[in-house]
PDB file of all heavy atoms in Angstrom:
ATOM      1  N   PHE A   1     -37.654  -6.413 -82.101  1.00  0.00           N
ATOM      2  CA  PHE A   1     -36.420  -5.620 -81.904  1.00  0.00           C
ATOM      3  C   PHE A   1     -35.539  -5.861 -83.098  1.00  0.00           C
ATOM      4  O   PHE A   1     -35.319  -6.948 -83.524  1.00  0.00           O
ATOM      5  CB  PHE A   1     -35.720  -6.123 -80.619  1.00  0.00           C
ATOM      6  CG  PHE A   1     -34.430  -5.368 -80.355  1.00  0.00           C
ATOM      7  CD1 PHE A   1     -34.462  -4.117 -79.725  1.00  0.00           C
ATOM      8  CD2 PHE A   1     -33.190  -5.924 -80.680  1.00  0.00           C
ATOM      9  CE1 PHE A   1     -33.293  -3.429 -79.446  1.00  0.00           C
ATOM     10  CE2 PHE A   1     -32.037  -5.213 -80.429  1.00  0.00           C
ATOM     11  CZ  PHE A   1     -32.094  -3.980 -79.828  1.00  0.00           C
ATOM     12  N   LYS A   2     -35.012  -4.749 -83.678  1.00  0.00           N
ATOM     13  CA  LYS A   2     -34.181  -4.850 -84.878  1.00  0.00           C
ATOM     14  C   LYS A   2     -32.846  -4.181 -84.586  1.00  0.00           C
ATOM     15  O   LYS A   2     -32.785  -3.153 -83.945  1.00  0.00           O
ATOM     16  CB  LYS A   2     -34.888  -4.105 -86.024  1.00  0.00           C
ATOM     17  CG  LYS A   2     -34.044  -4.116 -87.301  1.00  0.00           C
ATOM     18  CD  LYS A   2     -34.805  -3.603 -88.517  1.00  0.00           C
ATOM     19  CE  LYS A   2     -35.464  -2.312 -88.319  1.00  0.00           C
ATOM     20  NZ  LYS A   2     -36.081  -1.772 -89.552  1.00  0.00           N
ATOM     21  N   THR A   3     -31.819  -4.823 -85.045  1.00  0.00           N
ATOM     22  CA  THR A   3     -30.424  -4.266 -84.881  1.00  0.00           C
ATOM     23  C   THR A   3     -29.531  -4.636 -86.047  1.00  0.00           C
ATOM     24  O   THR A   3     -29.786  -5.628 -86.754  1.00  0.00           O
ATOM     25  CB  THR A   3     -29.826  -4.782 -83.572  1.00  0.00           C
ATOM     26  OG1 THR A   3     -28.551  -4.121 -83.397  1.00  0.00           O
ATOM     27  CG2 THR A   3     -29.612  -6.263 -83.596  1.00  0.00           C
ATOM     28  N   ASP A   4     -28.495  -3.822 -86.237  1.00  0.00           N
ATOM     29  CA  ASP A   4     -27.470  -4.161 -87.244  1.00  0.00           C
ATOM     30  C   ASP A   4     -26.127  -4.119 -86.596  1.00  0.00           C
ATOM     31  O   ASP A   4     -25.065  -4.123 -87.291  1.00  0.00           O
ATOM     32  CB  ASP A   4     -27.539  -3.199 -88.419  1.00  0.00           C
ATOM     33  CG  ASP A   4     -27.369  -1.721 -87.976  1.00  0.00           C
ATOM     34  OD1 ASP A   4     -27.257  -1.467 -86.766  1.00  0.00           O
ATOM     35  OD2 ASP A   4     -27.299  -0.882 -88.901  1.00  0.00           O
ATOM     36  N   GLN A   5     -26.073  -4.151 -85.272  1.00  0.00           N
ATOM     37  CA  GLN A   5     -24.827  -4.130 -84.518  1.00  0.00           C
ATOM     38  C   GLN A   5     -24.357  -5.546 -84.201  1.00  0.00           C
ATOM     39  O   GLN A   5     -25.147  -6.347 -83.654  1.00  0.00           O
ATOM     40  CB  GLN A   5     -24.984  -3.315 -83.211  1.00  0.00           C
ATOM     41  CG  GLN A   5     -25.445  -1.940 -83.410  1.00  0.00           C
ATOM     42  CD  GLN A   5     -24.436  -1.117 -84.169  1.00  0.00           C
ATOM     43  OE1 GLN A   5     -23.229  -1.178 -83.877  1.00  0.00           O
ATOM     44  NE2 GLN A   5     -24.866  -0.279 -85.132  1.00  0.00           N
ATOM     45  N   ALA A   6     -23.112  -5.874 -84.487  1.00  0.00           N
ATOM     46  CA  ALA A   6     -22.583  -7.179 -84.266  1.00  0.00           C
ATOM     47  C   ALA A   6     -22.484  -7.474 -82.754  1.00  0.00           C
ATOM     48  O   ALA A   6     -22.642  -8.605 -82.327  1.00  0.00           O
ATOM     49  CB  ALA A   6     -21.173  -7.367 -84.905  1.00  0.00           C
ATOM     50  N   GLN A   7     -22.293  -6.425 -81.932  1.00  0.00           N
ATOM     51  CA  GLN A   7     -22.186  -6.624 -80.514  1.00  0.00           C
ATOM     52  C   GLN A   7     -23.504  -7.076 -79.883  1.00  0.00           C
ATOM     53  O   GLN A   7     -23.515  -7.596 -78.773  1.00  0.00           O
ATOM     54  CB  GLN A   7     -21.681  -5.373 -79.857  1.00  0.00           C
ATOM     55  CG  GLN A   7     -22.661  -4.176 -79.988  1.00  0.00           C
ATOM     56  CD  GLN A   7     -22.042  -2.894 -79.695  1.00  0.00           C
ATOM     57  OE1 GLN A   7     -20.809  -2.746 -79.693  1.00  0.00           O
ATOM     58  NE2 GLN A   7     -22.894  -1.866 -79.452  1.00  0.00           N
ATOM     59  N   ASP A   8     -24.591  -6.912 -80.555  1.00  0.00           N
ATOM     60  CA  ASP A   8     -25.891  -7.331 -80.006  1.00  0.00           C
ATOM     61  C   ASP A   8     -26.042  -8.876 -80.098  1.00  0.00           C
ATOM     62  O   ASP A   8     -27.004  -9.409 -79.542  1.00  0.00           O
ATOM     63  CB  ASP A   8     -27.050  -6.649 -80.764  1.00  0.00           C
ATOM     64  CG  ASP A   8     -27.161  -5.191 -80.368  1.00  0.00           C
ATOM     65  OD1 ASP A   8     -26.637  -4.829 -79.285  1.00  0.00           O
ATOM     66  OD2 ASP A   8     -27.748  -4.400 -81.146  1.00  0.00           O
ATOM     67  N   ALA A   9     -25.167  -9.556 -80.718  1.00  0.00           N
ATOM     68  CA  ALA A   9     -25.244 -11.032 -80.786  1.00  0.00           C
ATOM     69  C   ALA A   9     -25.086 -11.586 -79.388  1.00  0.00           C
ATOM     70  O   ALA A   9     -25.752 -12.578 -79.051  1.00  0.00           O
ATOM     71  CB  ALA A   9     -24.159 -11.583 -81.706  1.00  0.00           C
ATOM     72  N   LYS A  10     -24.239 -11.007 -78.523  1.00  0.00           N
ATOM     73  CA  LYS A  10     -24.097 -11.459 -77.184  1.00  0.00           C
ATOM     74  C   LYS A  10     -25.423 -11.255 -76.394  1.00  0.00           C
ATOM     75  O   LYS A  10     -25.802 -12.082 -75.578  1.00  0.00           O
ATOM     76  CB  LYS A  10     -22.965 -10.712 -76.475  1.00  0.00           C
ATOM     77  CG  LYS A  10     -21.623 -11.206 -76.756  1.00  0.00           C
ATOM     78  CD  LYS A  10     -21.373 -12.519 -75.988  1.00  0.00           C
ATOM     79  CE  LYS A  10     -19.946 -12.877 -76.154  1.00  0.00           C
ATOM     80  NZ  LYS A  10     -19.682 -14.240 -75.748  1.00  0.00           N
ATOM     81  N   LYS A  11     -26.077 -10.150 -76.620  1.00  0.00           N
ATOM     82  CA  LYS A  11     -27.311  -9.885 -75.966  1.00  0.00           C
ATOM     83  C   LYS A  11     -28.413 -10.934 -76.422  1.00  0.00           C
ATOM     84  O   LYS A  11     -29.151 -11.414 -75.598  1.00  0.00           O
ATOM     85  CB  LYS A  11     -27.825  -8.474 -76.315  1.00  0.00           C
ATOM     86  CG  LYS A  11     -26.977  -7.387 -75.730  1.00  0.00           C
ATOM     87  CD  LYS A  11     -27.514  -6.032 -76.160  1.00  0.00           C
ATOM     88  CE  LYS A  11     -26.695  -4.883 -75.647  1.00  0.00           C
ATOM     89  NZ  LYS A  11     -27.219  -3.601 -76.127  1.00  0.00           N
ATOM     90  N   MET A  12     -28.377 -11.241 -77.705  1.00  0.00           N
ATOM     91  CA  MET A  12     -29.301 -12.237 -78.237  1.00  0.00           C
ATOM     92  C   MET A  12     -29.053 -13.636 -77.546  1.00  0.00           C
ATOM     93  O   MET A  12     -29.982 -14.337 -77.233  1.00  0.00           O
ATOM     94  CB  MET A  12     -29.169 -12.361 -79.747  1.00  0.00           C
ATOM     95  CG  MET A  12     -30.123 -13.347 -80.372  1.00  0.00           C
ATOM     96  SD  MET A  12     -29.612 -13.972 -81.940  1.00  0.00           S
ATOM     97  CE  MET A  12     -28.109 -14.818 -81.521  1.00  0.00           C
ATOM     98  N   GLU A  13     -27.759 -13.917 -77.323  1.00  0.00           N
ATOM     99  CA  GLU A  13     -27.426 -15.174 -76.705  1.00  0.00           C
ATOM    100  C   GLU A  13     -27.949 -15.210 -75.265  1.00  0.00           C
ATOM    101  O   GLU A  13     -28.435 -16.271 -74.804  1.00  0.00           O
ATOM    102  CB  GLU A  13     -25.895 -15.340 -76.713  1.00  0.00           C
ATOM    103  CG  GLU A  13     -25.407 -16.686 -76.224  1.00  0.00           C
ATOM    104  CD  GLU A  13     -23.909 -16.818 -76.340  1.00  0.00           C
ATOM    105  OE1 GLU A  13     -23.284 -16.128 -77.156  1.00  0.00           O
ATOM    106  OE2 GLU A  13     -23.370 -17.649 -75.589  1.00  0.00           O
ATOM    107  N   LYS A  14     -27.868 -14.100 -74.566  1.00  0.00           N
ATOM    108  CA  LYS A  14     -28.400 -14.031 -73.194  1.00  0.00           C
ATOM    109  C   LYS A  14     -29.920 -14.209 -73.200  1.00  0.00           C
ATOM    110  O   LYS A  14     -30.464 -14.895 -72.362  1.00  0.00           O
ATOM    111  CB  LYS A  14     -28.057 -12.729 -72.525  1.00  0.00           C
ATOM    112  CG  LYS A  14     -26.595 -12.676 -72.011  1.00  0.00           C
ATOM    113  CD  LYS A  14     -26.374 -11.400 -71.206  1.00  0.00           C
ATOM    114  CE  LYS A  14     -24.974 -11.353 -70.683  1.00  0.00           C
ATOM    115  NZ  LYS A  14     -24.757 -10.228 -69.853  1.00  0.00           N
ATOM    116  N   LEU A  15     -30.569 -13.594 -74.172  1.00  0.00           N
ATOM    117  CA  LEU A  15     -32.041 -13.768 -74.285  1.00  0.00           C
ATOM    118  C   LEU A  15     -32.369 -15.217 -74.575  1.00  0.00           C
ATOM    119  O   LEU A  15     -33.350 -15.742 -74.010  1.00  0.00           O
ATOM    120  CB  LEU A  15     -32.617 -12.850 -75.368  1.00  0.00           C
ATOM    121  CG  LEU A  15     -34.128 -12.871 -75.526  1.00  0.00           C
ATOM    122  CD1 LEU A  15     -34.806 -12.363 -74.207  1.00  0.00           C
ATOM    123  CD2 LEU A  15     -34.557 -12.005 -76.691  1.00  0.00           C
ATOM    124  N   ASN A  16     -31.629 -15.849 -75.424  1.00  0.00           N
ATOM    125  CA  ASN A  16     -31.852 -17.290 -75.674  1.00  0.00           C
ATOM    126  C   ASN A  16     -31.743 -18.101 -74.387  1.00  0.00           C
ATOM    127  O   ASN A  16     -32.574 -18.959 -74.130  1.00  0.00           O
ATOM    128  CB  ASN A  16     -30.829 -17.841 -76.689  1.00  0.00           C
ATOM    129  CG  ASN A  16     -31.144 -17.417 -78.095  1.00  0.00           C
ATOM    130  OD1 ASN A  16     -32.224 -17.013 -78.408  1.00  0.00           O
ATOM    131  ND2 ASN A  16     -30.159 -17.534 -78.968  1.00  0.00           N
ATOM    132  N   ASN A  17     -30.698 -17.818 -73.588  1.00  0.00           N
ATOM    133  CA  ASN A  17     -30.551 -18.515 -72.346  1.00  0.00           C
ATOM    134  C   ASN A  17     -31.700 -18.236 -71.350  1.00  0.00           C
ATOM    135  O   ASN A  17     -32.168 -19.145 -70.630  1.00  0.00           O
ATOM    136  CB  ASN A  17     -29.198 -18.118 -71.658  1.00  0.00           C
ATOM    137  CG  ASN A  17     -28.006 -18.654 -72.436  1.00  0.00           C
ATOM    138  OD1 ASN A  17     -28.116 -19.639 -73.135  1.00  0.00           O
ATOM    139  ND2 ASN A  17     -26.902 -18.034 -72.270  1.00  0.00           N
ATOM    140  N   ILE A  18     -32.195 -17.028 -71.343  1.00  0.00           N
ATOM    141  CA  ILE A  18     -33.373 -16.721 -70.501  1.00  0.00           C
ATOM    142  C   ILE A  18     -34.577 -17.562 -70.937  1.00  0.00           C
ATOM    143  O   ILE A  18     -35.213 -18.196 -70.112  1.00  0.00           O
ATOM    144  CB  ILE A  18     -33.718 -15.207 -70.555  1.00  0.00           C
ATOM    145  CG1 ILE A  18     -32.639 -14.390 -69.846  1.00  0.00           C
ATOM    146  CG2 ILE A  18     -35.052 -14.979 -69.986  1.00  0.00           C
ATOM    147  CD1 ILE A  18     -32.764 -12.943 -70.079  1.00  0.00           C
ATOM    148  N   PHE A  19     -34.852 -17.592 -72.257  1.00  0.00           N
ATOM    149  CA  PHE A  19     -35.996 -18.354 -72.734  1.00  0.00           C
ATOM    150  C   PHE A  19     -35.797 -19.875 -72.475  1.00  0.00           C
ATOM    151  O   PHE A  19     -36.737 -20.562 -72.159  1.00  0.00           O
ATOM    152  CB  PHE A  19     -36.301 -18.071 -74.167  1.00  0.00           C
ATOM    153  CG  PHE A  19     -37.130 -16.833 -74.369  1.00  0.00           C
ATOM    154  CD1 PHE A  19     -36.653 -15.755 -75.091  1.00  0.00           C
ATOM    155  CD2 PHE A  19     -38.394 -16.706 -73.776  1.00  0.00           C
ATOM    156  CE1 PHE A  19     -37.455 -14.618 -75.254  1.00  0.00           C
ATOM    157  CE2 PHE A  19     -39.187 -15.616 -73.941  1.00  0.00           C
ATOM    158  CZ  PHE A  19     -38.736 -14.543 -74.671  1.00  0.00           C
ATOM    159  N   PHE A  20     -34.550 -20.377 -72.722  1.00  0.00           N
ATOM    160  CA  PHE A  20     -34.303 -21.788 -72.472  1.00  0.00           C
ATOM    161  C   PHE A  20     -34.556 -22.144 -70.990  1.00  0.00           C
ATOM    162  O   PHE A  20     -35.152 -23.125 -70.708  1.00  0.00           O
ATOM    163  CB  PHE A  20     -32.876 -22.171 -72.823  1.00  0.00           C
ATOM    164  CG  PHE A  20     -32.600 -22.165 -74.340  1.00  0.00           C
ATOM    165  CD1 PHE A  20     -31.304 -21.910 -74.746  1.00  0.00           C
ATOM    166  CD2 PHE A  20     -33.571 -22.373 -75.260  1.00  0.00           C
ATOM    167  CE1 PHE A  20     -31.008 -21.873 -76.094  1.00  0.00           C
ATOM    168  CE2 PHE A  20     -33.338 -22.348 -76.582  1.00  0.00           C
ATOM    169  CZ  PHE A  20     -32.056 -22.104 -77.019  1.00  0.00           C
ATOM    170  N   THR A  21     -34.134 -21.236 -70.097  1.00  0.00           N
ATOM    171  CA  THR A  21     -34.356 -21.466 -68.677  1.00  0.00           C
ATOM    172  C   THR A  21     -35.860 -21.430 -68.331  1.00  0.00           C
ATOM    173  O   THR A  21     -36.331 -22.318 -67.599  1.00  0.00           O
ATOM    174  CB  THR A  21     -33.617 -20.385 -67.842  1.00  0.00           C
ATOM    175  OG1 THR A  21     -32.225 -20.435 -68.140  1.00  0.00           O
ATOM    176  CG2 THR A  21     -33.818 -20.603 -66.386  1.00  0.00           C
ATOM    177  N   LEU A  22     -36.564 -20.475 -68.825  1.00  0.00           N
ATOM    178  CA  LEU A  22     -37.991 -20.395 -68.587  1.00  0.00           C
ATOM    179  C   LEU A  22     -38.746 -21.577 -69.157  1.00  0.00           C
ATOM    180  O   LEU A  22     -39.688 -22.087 -68.524  1.00  0.00           O
ATOM    181  CB  LEU A  22     -38.539 -19.099 -69.136  1.00  0.00           C
ATOM    182  CG  LEU A  22     -38.138 -17.838 -68.439  1.00  0.00           C
ATOM    183  CD1 LEU A  22     -38.613 -16.604 -69.231  1.00  0.00           C
ATOM    184  CD2 LEU A  22     -38.686 -17.747 -67.014  1.00  0.00           C
ATOM    185  N   MET A  23     -38.345 -22.055 -70.333  1.00  0.00           N
ATOM    186  CA  MET A  23     -39.037 -23.189 -70.904  1.00  0.00           C
ATOM    187  C   MET A  23     -38.726 -24.517 -70.214  1.00  0.00           C
ATOM    188  O   MET A  23     -39.581 -25.379 -70.075  1.00  0.00           O
ATOM    189  CB  MET A  23     -38.681 -23.257 -72.404  1.00  0.00           C
ATOM    190  CG  MET A  23     -39.239 -22.173 -73.222  1.00  0.00           C
ATOM    191  SD  MET A  23     -38.660 -22.325 -74.930  1.00  0.00           S
ATOM    192  CE  MET A  23     -39.237 -20.795 -75.608  1.00  0.00           C
ATOM    193  N   ALA A  24     -37.512 -24.649 -69.751  1.00  0.00           N
ATOM    194  CA  ALA A  24     -37.081 -25.874 -69.132  1.00  0.00           C
ATOM    195  C   ALA A  24     -37.563 -26.002 -67.696  1.00  0.00           C
ATOM    196  O   ALA A  24     -38.011 -27.028 -67.224  1.00  0.00           O
ATOM    197  CB  ALA A  24     -35.607 -26.094 -69.211  1.00  0.00           C
ATOM    198  N   ARG A  25     -37.443 -24.929 -66.923  1.00  0.00           N
ATOM    199  CA  ARG A  25     -37.758 -24.947 -65.501  1.00  0.00           C
ATOM    200  C   ARG A  25     -39.146 -24.426 -65.182  1.00  0.00           C
ATOM    201  O   ARG A  25     -39.575 -24.541 -64.048  1.00  0.00           O
ATOM    202  CB  ARG A  25     -36.687 -24.114 -64.723  1.00  0.00           C
ATOM    203  CG  ARG A  25     -35.342 -24.651 -64.880  1.00  0.00           C
ATOM    204  CD  ARG A  25     -34.376 -23.828 -64.061  1.00  0.00           C
ATOM    205  NE  ARG A  25     -33.015 -24.221 -64.289  1.00  0.00           N
ATOM    206  CZ  ARG A  25     -31.935 -23.560 -63.823  1.00  0.00           C
ATOM    207  NH1 ARG A  25     -32.135 -22.447 -63.143  1.00  0.00           N
ATOM    208  NH2 ARG A  25     -30.747 -23.992 -64.062  1.00  0.00           N
ATOM    209  N   GLY A  26     -39.808 -23.784 -66.077  1.00  0.00           N
ATOM    210  CA  GLY A  26     -41.165 -23.266 -65.811  1.00  0.00           C
ATOM    211  C   GLY A  26     -41.115 -21.750 -65.812  1.00  0.00           C
ATOM    212  O   GLY A  26     -40.090 -21.096 -65.560  1.00  0.00           O
ATOM    213  N   PRO A  27     -42.316 -21.162 -66.083  1.00  0.00           N
ATOM    214  CA  PRO A  27     -42.358 -19.653 -66.235  1.00  0.00           C
ATOM    215  C   PRO A  27     -42.173 -18.934 -64.910  1.00  0.00           C
ATOM    216  O   PRO A  27     -41.875 -17.761 -64.943  1.00  0.00           O
ATOM    217  CB  PRO A  27     -43.750 -19.450 -66.755  1.00  0.00           C
ATOM    218  CG  PRO A  27     -44.507 -20.641 -66.488  1.00  0.00           C
ATOM    219  CD  PRO A  27     -43.565 -21.791 -66.426  1.00  0.00           C
ATOM    220  N   GLU A  28     -42.315 -19.582 -63.768  1.00  0.00           N
ATOM    221  CA  GLU A  28     -42.127 -18.921 -62.509  1.00  0.00           C
ATOM    222  C   GLU A  28     -40.684 -18.939 -61.949  1.00  0.00           C
ATOM    223  O   GLU A  28     -40.391 -18.480 -60.869  1.00  0.00           O
ATOM    224  CB  GLU A  28     -43.071 -19.512 -61.426  1.00  0.00           C
ATOM    225  CG  GLU A  28     -44.512 -19.431 -61.816  1.00  0.00           C
ATOM    226  CD  GLU A  28     -44.958 -18.015 -62.072  1.00  0.00           C
ATOM    227  OE1 GLU A  28     -44.575 -17.078 -61.331  1.00  0.00           O
ATOM    228  OE2 GLU A  28     -45.700 -17.791 -63.051  1.00  0.00           O
ATOM    229  N   THR A  29     -39.767 -19.438 -62.768  1.00  0.00           N
ATOM    230  CA  THR A  29     -38.365 -19.571 -62.373  1.00  0.00           C
ATOM    231  C   THR A  29     -37.680 -18.209 -62.230  1.00  0.00           C
ATOM    232  O   THR A  29     -37.961 -17.302 -63.017  1.00  0.00           O
ATOM    233  CB  THR A  29     -37.625 -20.386 -63.432  1.00  0.00           C
ATOM    234  OG1 THR A  29     -38.231 -21.654 -63.571  1.00  0.00           O
ATOM    235  CG2 THR A  29     -36.128 -20.598 -63.040  1.00  0.00           C
ATOM    236  N   ASP A  30     -36.830 -18.119 -61.247  1.00  0.00           N
ATOM    237  CA  ASP A  30     -36.029 -16.879 -61.047  1.00  0.00           C
ATOM    238  C   ASP A  30     -34.936 -16.848 -62.072  1.00  0.00           C
ATOM    239  O   ASP A  30     -34.155 -17.820 -62.148  1.00  0.00           O
ATOM    240  CB  ASP A  30     -35.448 -16.864 -59.652  1.00  0.00           C
ATOM    241  CG  ASP A  30     -34.653 -15.634 -59.362  1.00  0.00           C
ATOM    242  OD1 ASP A  30     -34.980 -14.552 -59.978  1.00  0.00           O
ATOM    243  OD2 ASP A  30     -33.761 -15.661 -58.499  1.00  0.00           O
ATOM    244  N   ILE A  31     -34.874 -15.831 -62.866  1.00  0.00           N
ATOM    245  CA  ILE A  31     -33.889 -15.771 -63.985  1.00  0.00           C
ATOM    246  C   ILE A  31     -32.694 -14.890 -63.646  1.00  0.00           C
ATOM    247  O   ILE A  31     -31.885 -14.588 -64.546  1.00  0.00           O
ATOM    248  CB  ILE A  31     -34.528 -15.314 -65.257  1.00  0.00           C
ATOM    249  CG1 ILE A  31     -35.152 -13.908 -65.087  1.00  0.00           C
ATOM    250  CG2 ILE A  31     -35.519 -16.309 -65.801  1.00  0.00           C
ATOM    251  CD1 ILE A  31     -35.638 -13.285 -66.394  1.00  0.00           C
TER     252      ILE A  31
END
């Protein structure tokens, strides 16, 4: 995914949180 919009930084932060949750709690975790 490619972007040049500054507002997409918040979206990237949410995606980071999703991956952190999946990695820490396991792939079957409800996100």
Side-chain angles (χ1 to χ4, degrees):
F1 180 81
K2 178 170 54 172
T3 185
D4 58 356
Q5 302 296 316
Q7 63 197 17
D8 287 339
K10 280 284 190 194
K11 293 178 182 178
M12 182 202 63
E13 187 177 336
K14 282 187 178 183
L15 183 63
N16 284 344
N17 290 337
I18 289 170
F19 276 120
F20 290 152
T21 302
L22 290 173
M23 290 176 191
R25 297 182 187 171
E28 300 304 319
T29 303
D30 181 27
I31 57 170

